[in-house]
Amino acid sequence: MNVIFDIAVIGGGNMGCGAAIRLAEGGMRTIILEQGDIGQGASGVNAGTLSLQIKRVKLMPYAIKGHEEWQNMGAEVGFHKTGGYTLAFNDREAELLYERMTLKKEAGANISFVSDKELIEKEPALARKVVAASYCGDDGYANSLLSGQYYRKKIKQSGISFLEKFKVIQIRENSDGFEISSGGQTVVAKRLLLACGGWMKDIAAMIGADLPINARINTVSVTERAPRLLNSIIGHATGLLTMKQKENGTVLIGGGWQGKGTPEQGRGNVSLETLIPNLQLAKFALPKLSKIRIVRSWTGFEANVPDFYPLAGRLANKENVFVLGCVRGGYTIGPYISKLMGDYILGRQPEMPLFDPSRDFK
Amino acid sequence: MYDVIVLGAGPAGANAALEAADNGLKTLLLDEQKVAGGQVWRAKSKSILKAPSTEASEKGDELRTKINQSAIEVKFNSRVWHIEKQDDDTWLMASDAEQLTAKALIIATGSQERIIPTQGWTLPGVIGLGGATVLFKEHMMVPGRRTVVAGNGPLVFLVASEIIRLKGTVAAVVSLNNRIDWLKALPSMLSNPSLAWQGFKWIFKLYKMRVPVFWQHGINKIEGKEKVEGVTVIKVDHNWHKSDQAEQYIPAESVCYGHGLMPAIEATRLAGADHHYDELLGGWVPTIDKYGRTSVSNLYACGDNAGILGVSVAPMRGRMAALAVLEDLTGKKHNKKDLKIFDKAKKIGLAATALSIPRSGLQSFITKDTEVCRCECISRREIEHEIKTGALSPNAVKSGTRCGMGPCGGRYCSESLALITQHISKKTRSEIGLSTARSPLRPVALDDISNEIDYDKLPIPGVSPL
Ligand SMILES: Cc1cc2nc3c(=O)[nH]c(=O)nc-3n(C[C@H](O)[C@H](O)[C@H](O)COP(=O)(O)OP(=O)(O)OC[C@H]3O[C@@H](n4cnc5c(N)ncnc54)[C@H](O)[C@@H]3O)c2cc1C
Ligand SMILES: Cc1cc2nc3c(=O)[nH]c(=O)nc-3n(C[C@H](O)[C@H](O)[C@H](O)COP(=O)(O)OP(=O)(O)OC[C@H]3O[C@@H](n4cnc5c(N)ncnc54)[C@H](O)[C@@H]3O)c2cc1C
């Protein structure tokens, strides 16, 4: 390829694709490089929970905007606004719930505390062991399985070039910008956006940046089709359980329990040590799950830095290298923060502040 | 902690366990069936115990006696749903709510049927060729009153001749293979005359009974309103693509139908072993050395799941894997005599498998409206749409359509999906690849895998950051 792209986006998840679409709209000649298939990283395997109740206080304004984006994407991404309950099963959790949800409410989320009676009326299948619960009517879910299909279509419509099965293994700086190589093929671009999710640390290292990134490996399980058990999405005061029953009857169980493996080694594996308590917690909250069969449990990678806030901005000392990742709740926030990132690279003032990737993390 | 756990008590796995135990290794043999014997040496069910025994049931009884007399620990009705390598390089497995550990793991999960859909294949009255053999062996039953037996590979003729032995009626045999395919397999089969003879005995028997045999034909459509009423058959070309010659109608009440066997590789894939595509061995197989060592330390594979070579070599493959375990765990060497015998026997297996290799034209039987994924009711049309809009890997197609996401975990539709992808993209099977292997190996109810909990004892890690 003799073309010099204005920007190469490494990583075809919802961060990379979202930003690329904004950049192409802004007139940049854009290419996405993806080691696997578009939208099959974290963006394609996550639990799909769109919940303000599990968002961090400081990220609430971004999450609220994110929800608007999902609502607009609508049926194409399997969006459902069901409302969601967060449950506490003992006094310690109730205290935690109260303290946390109050702060989140102050940050703008439409959260209220609900009575036992209301909860039982709305979600009769839940265990009658709930000590306290909160509700947010804006919560819901989308179908992360459709990320690849959705973004592939959108990036094609935006005239963005993309290469799948293109694993970046080397980046060289030259007078034109960057030569990005997969070993076999080379792509040349003036700018770089690193949006490679759980794999970010290694890619950043290719251009000499040492970012304090850790990969997390989250577990999700899905059941066979079951009779209607839940109407809303369900969370837990600690954040360690999410449940939703999709339209087709399958129940998705998540909560960020950690599996085994590293992004370098492949797709990772679930670990019995965490899978079992994750499922036990689900069964405890929703006893009717007992007789339902699990058909698949899997893992996916996401990245975080020590302060658990996003990396979104320009790398220090690298005029033309941008980073977007490590966003907690990144499925929810991705479609919005990636637009901000696009604006920033295009030289526009983003609607909300970004997160300097070269900040001091202590 | 066991020295070795053997998963699968067919001819391969059971012999691996015998060899391991005879050499003093602490051995556990697991199978989800009620007794040892696997697919081919399946035990008769209680109701037919008095029925005359067959060679297969005798061999099975002999094997079961040997196991009883050995030091092997056995666990039947044991559904292994999870396999995990631990940090100290040993194995952790889950069989329902029970957790088992071992230094080495031998996978001997055998084969599974390959069935490429055709119109009407989901009608009641249609069963797989392998499924039919289970009926014969366990219950001495035939599938229906008038049966059409169709597909490719030796099982077609085995099933047809068994139906006749059990006094059923075979309306027709519809074989994708032609006579030349069979003649080509002859020379290598003759190195094991009894086996070759058996194959030809089946065919003679059918001719003697004047059963119509349609060589180089396939079932174009299985007809019927609520159940099978008949089939139309059509000639195929050398690639097994449907020809444009006229179809013929055959009335029937049941159909036994299949396209050979393929290695059951979910367990070795879940355990992380490298796999490659080898048409001659029946499809995707774990990459192993001659003794069955996989790419992962302390993980071994033997039997049909390591390449379809059939029952004649399965016991030997099992013993060889056990000797490899012995050598790797204790440093004890063994003589290499087995290897030579194995190489010779392998040829016979390969010849039989050659008849079973599905050819690319088979995709032409899957019409646009034919359901490919039965669990999720996904038609070829939906799959093609997904591929044509850019989803080129099995994972991508699966995500977009839900093909393979039901309780069977894609075990049955992955082959059809690959054939369709291959037809559209012109990529090789290796390039197309496989979708990711995940737990559970079999669907498991939450109650079966986790006991009741004391909520306050749940190992809840720190709460998420505020
Ligand atoms: C199991 C799980 C459950 C989750 N549940 C939720 C949830 O319910 N709600 C929520 O809001 N968030 C959830 N998240 C978080 C959310 O999924 C992620 O924050 C978000 O999808 C990240 O998007 P991304 O584009 O940064 O990463 P990804 O989608 O992982 O995209 C990064 C891409 O970069 C590619 N790449 C990496 N290295 C290279 C290379 N060398 N060359 C080329 N390409 C490369 C990868 O293949 C990948 O496709 C969950 C995450 C996981 C893992
Ligand atoms: C349905 C079917 C019918 C067949 N009929 C014949 C026939 O009639 N004649 C013939 O010559 N060949 C037949 N074959 C081929 C024959 O199976 C093999 O050649 C031979 O049995 C190979 O032996 P094996 O030990 O490798 O596998 P198998 O005999 O298949 O043994 C594998 C064992 O592993 C067990 N297993 C697999 N997964 C799990 C799990 N997750 N948990 C617990 N246990 C597990 C299975 O229950 C089975 O007992 C048939 C194959 C199939 C699939």
Side-chain angles (χ1 to χ4, degrees):
Chain A
M1 237 185 269
N2 292 326
V3 189
I4 298 178
F5 289 92
D6 291 322
I7 186 159
V9 177
I10 304 181
N14 66 352
M15 297 296 173
C17 293
I21 292 167
R22 193 67 158 191
L23 290 164
E25 283 166 4
M28 279 198 182
R29 186 164 200 173
T30 307
I31 185 166
I32 298 174
L33 305 175
E34 167 55 54
Q35 65 180 358
D37 299 299
I38 294 289
Q40 291 288 324
S43 305
V45 304
N46 68 72
T49 312
L50 305 174
S51 166
L52 296 180
Q53 295 179 84
I54 54 176
K55 292 300 164 300
R56 301 194 65 190
V57 173
K58 205 171 141 189
L59 295 181
M60 198 58 75
Y62 301 82
I64 293 171
K65 288 284 192 178
H67 274 228
E68 285 171 22
E69 297 283 341
W70 284 103
Q71 186 140 15
N72 293 336
M73 292 188 261
E76 263 186 282
V77 291
F79 174 77
H80 288 273
K81 189 168 174 171
T82 56
Y85 293 95
T86 304
L87 315 177
F89 291 105
N90 59 30
D91 292 344
R92 193 183 65 89
E93 288 168 9
E95 208 173 298
L96 194 70
L97 184 79
Y98 187 76
E99 181 192 308
R100 297 187 143 216
M101 292 306 161
T102 305
L103 286 171
K104 292 181 188 191
K105 199 171 155 182
E106 282 165 18
N110 175 24
I111 298 173
S112 55
F113 294 96
V114 295
S115 68
D116 224 28
K117 190 165 159 274
E118 182 188 330
L119 182 68
I120 291 170
E121 217 170 84
K122 293 279 169 51
E123 295 295 352
L126 286 178
R128 301 283 159 88
K129 291 174 184 160
V130 177
V131 176
S134 59
Y135 178 75
C136 176
D138 290 328
D139 287 357
Y141 66 87
N143 185 354
S144 66
L145 289 173
L146 298 176
S147 295
Q149 194 182 53
Y150 177 82
Y151 279 113
R152 196 178 280 117
K153 183 169 152 195
K154 290 289 165 189
I155 59 184
K156 276 188 189 163
Q157 281 170 358
S158 308
I160 296 166
S161 306
F162 65 100
L163 293 172
E164 293 176 287
K165 308 273 184 276
F166 188 107
K167 180 176 176 153
V168 175
I169 58 163
Q170 193 181 50
I171 303 172
R172 274 208 217 106
E173 294 193 54
N174 64 18
S175 51
D176 288 332
F178 302 92
E179 260 179 46
I180 308 140
S181 157
S182 67
Q185 257 174 306
T186 300
V187 168
V188 183
K190 293 180 200 151
R191 299 174 190 80
L192 276 183
L193 171 60
L194 312 186
C196 18
W199 295 259
M200 192 76 93
K201 191 178 174 68
D202 286 358
I203 315 292
M206 287 180 202
I207 47 158
D210 181 20
L211 296 173
I213 296 176
N214 288 309
R216 279 171 57 84
I217 173 161
N218 297 340
T219 304
V220 183
S221 300
V222 67
T223 69
E224 63 189 333
R225 291 166 197 255
R228 187 58 39 196
L229 298 172
L230 290 174
N231 305 303
S232 342
I233 65 163
I234 303 297
H236 188 259
T238 58
L240 285 157
L241 175 67
T242 66
M243 282 193 294
K244 62 191 71 72
Q245 187 171 26
K246 298 214 171 164
E247 267 189 328
N248 64 11
T250 60
V251 179
L252 220 53
I253 302 167
W257 293 77
Q258 297 293 291
K260 275 186 182 168
T262 63
E264 298 75 46
Q265 291 168 339
R267 285 208 158 216
N269 265 320
V270 298
S271 157
L272 274 187
E273 202 184 334
T274 51
L275 177 66
I276 300 285
N278 187 186
L279 298 178
Q280 281 174 326
L281 187 55
K283 196 167 87 168
F284 182 83
L286 188 62
K288 287 201 166 131
L289 278 180
S290 314
K291 301 281 177 274
I292 310 287
R293 295 183 303 169
I294 295 288
V295 296
R296 200 163 164 96
S297 297
W298 65 92
T299 51
F301 295 109
E302 64 174 348
N304 59 244
V305 285
D307 63 9
F308 294 100
Y309 285 113
L311 298 181
R314 187 192 309 269
L315 272 189
N317 313 322
K318 296 273 180 197
E319 182 63 18
N320 290 315
V321 183
F322 303 86
V323 181
L324 176 60
C326 301
V327 185
R328 221 178 156 84
Y331 183 64
T332 313
I333 298 176
Y336 180 65
I337 201 169
S338 59
K339 280 189 174 172
L340 298 182
M341 189 74 213
D343 286 342
Y344 179 70
I345 297 171
L346 289 166
R348 302 171 186 159
Q349 176 67 35
E351 194 177 49
M352 283 190 213
L354 287 172
F355 297 80
D356 182 4
S358 306
R359 65 180 174 269
D360 184 2
F361 291 97
K362 270 152 231 141
Chain B
M1 161 109 39
Y2 292 94
D3 288 325
V4 58
I5 292 180
V6 182
L7 176 59
N15 277 286
L18 284 169
E19 185 75 46
D22 287 352
N23 280 287
L25 297 179
K26 188 170 155 59
T27 307
L28 175 68
L29 177 62
L30 293 173
D31 203 297
E32 63 189 339
Q33 301 199 49
K34 290 190 279 298
V35 293
Q39 297 293 358
V40 57
W41 296 342
R42 190 173 276 277
K44 291 183 280 192
S45 75
K46 284 212 180 80
S47 57
I48 60 159
L49 274 185
K50 296 215 178 67
S53 47
T54 60
E55 193 195 331
S57 71
E58 275 166 15
K59 286 218 168 135
D61 290 342
E62 194 184 309
L63 181 75
R64 290 182 276 273
T65 310
K66 272 199 211 153
I67 292 173
N68 287 339
Q69 292 165 350
S70 76
I72 303 172
E73 270 182 60
V74 293
K75 204 177 283 291
F76 293 106
N77 298 309
S78 157
R79 182 178 40 179
V80 170
W81 60 273
H82 180 76
I83 300 173
E84 178 178 332
K85 189 74 172 275
Q86 304 194 96
D87 295 339
D88 63 358
D89 220 29
T90 60
W91 292 100
L92 170 65
M93 299 165 72
S95 157
D96 286 339
E98 197 172 1
Q99 301 193 4
L100 303 160
T101 54
K103 292 180 193 153
L105 177 57
I106 299 180
I107 309 273
T109 45
S111 56
Q112 67 176 71
E113 284 195 75
R114 182 193 285 109
I115 301 182
I116 307 298
T118 193
Q119 296 172 85
W121 75 301
T122 54
L123 275 175
V126 182
I127 62 168
L129 292 172
T133 67
V134 178
L135 277 185
F136 307 149
K137 287 178 203 166
E138 264 187 24
H139 310 292
M140 289 189 67
M141 267 167 60
V142 295
R145 265 184 295 173
R146 272 177 65 82
T147 309
V148 170
V149 184
N152 57 289
L155 269 181
V156 174
F157 291 95
L158 169 95
V159 166
S161 76
E162 281 291 290
I163 292 176
I164 290 170
R165 183 175 72 86
L166 295 171
K167 309 270 184 293
T169 308
V170 178
V173 171
V174 185
S175 166
L176 287 157
N177 301 110
N178 57 24
R179 294 183 192 86
I180 298 169
D181 295 336
W182 273 85
L183 285 176
K184 275 194 196 144
L186 187 60
S188 6
M189 279 187 164
L190 279 180
S191 55
N192 182 338
S194 69
L195 204 84
W197 177 232
Q198 202 175 42
F200 286 93
K201 226 165 50 185
W202 298 331
I203 298 177
F204 290 143
K205 184 159 154 192
L206 295 169
Y207 273 102
K208 215 175 81 194
M209 301 292 292
R210 298 182 189 279
V211 172
V213 179
F214 293 82
W215 294 102
Q216 211 180 321
H217 274 69
I219 294 186
N220 187 30
K221 189 172 182 185
I222 302 172
E223 314 251 13
K225 283 205 190 71
E226 261 129 44
K227 53 185 188 49
V228 176
E229 290 168 19
V231 302
T232 57
V233 301
I234 193 163
K235 177 111 199 212
V236 296
D237 69 11
H238 282 288
N239 250 334
W240 297 354
H241 194 286
K242 282 197 268 195
S243 73
D244 41 21
Q245 290 182 23
E247 301 169 35
Q248 270 171 278
Y249 181 79
I250 306 165
E253 283 176 15
S254 60
V255 175
C256 296
Y257 165 74
H259 300 97
L261 299 172
M262 46 188 192
I265 54 171
E266 300 105 333
T268 36
R269 292 192 66 219
L270 186 62
D274 290 341
H275 287 68
H276 65 277
Y277 190 80
D278 186 339
E279 195 175 71
L280 300 176
L281 287 174
W284 286 94
V285 285
T287 306
I288 52 171
D289 76 359
K290 281 202 162 180
Y291 285 85
R293 292 182 180 92
T294 69
S295 62
V296 173
S297 56
N298 304 329
L299 181 71
Y300 307 78
C302 61
D304 275 0
N305 50 294
I308 309 287
L309 295 177
V311 64
S312 56
V313 285
M316 199 184 305
R317 294 170 95 186
R319 283 198 303 274
M320 284 162 61
L323 291 174
V325 172
L326 187 71
E327 182 173 330
D328 297 349
L329 289 184
T330 68
K332 229 187 255 174
K333 293 264 182 247
H334 51 87
N335 69 42
K336 311 256 174 200
K337 188 179 77 207
D338 275 346
L339 264 184
K340 282 211 186 84
I341 309 172
F342 174 68
D343 280 343
K344 213 168 135 195
K346 185 173 167 183
K347 282 207 189 95
I348 306 158
L350 285 173
T353 305
L355 294 165
S356 311
I357 297 168
R359 301 188 193 160
S360 61
L362 264 184
Q363 61 79 27
S364 65
F365 284 88
I366 317 170
T367 60
K368 299 272 191 250
D369 293 317
T370 302
E371 212 166 85
V372 172
C373 168
R374 291 181 78 161
C375 302
E376 297 287 325
C377 307
I378 312 293
S379 69
R380 176 171 186 154
R381 190 186 311 281
E382 291 162 79
I383 291 168
E384 281 203 353
H385 174 80
E386 205 59 28
I387 298 171
K388 285 179 178 160
T389 53
L392 289 179
S393 74
N395 274 337
V397 175
K398 201 173 155 180
S399 274
T401 61
R402 294 194 58 81
C403 178
M405 288 208 179
C408 94
R411 207 163 293 135
Y412 298 104
C413 57
S414 61
E415 276 289 298
S416 318
L417 177 57
L419 277 181
I420 297 170
T421 308
Q422 191 173 30
H423 177 66
I424 297 174
S425 70
K426 307 290 174 235
K427 290 185 174 179
T428 64
R429 289 295 299 268
S430 309
E431 286 165 342
I432 293 168
L434 292 163
S435 64
T436 314
R438 292 293 187 190
S439 292
L441 287 170
R442 303 277 187 270
V444 277
L446 267 82
D447 257 0
D448 290 342
I449 56 179
S450 64
N451 305 322
E452 283 313 309
I453 49 155
D454 178 353
Y455 185 80
D456 295 316
K457 287 205 182 121
L458 269 182
I460 290 189
V463 296
S464 52
L466 183 60

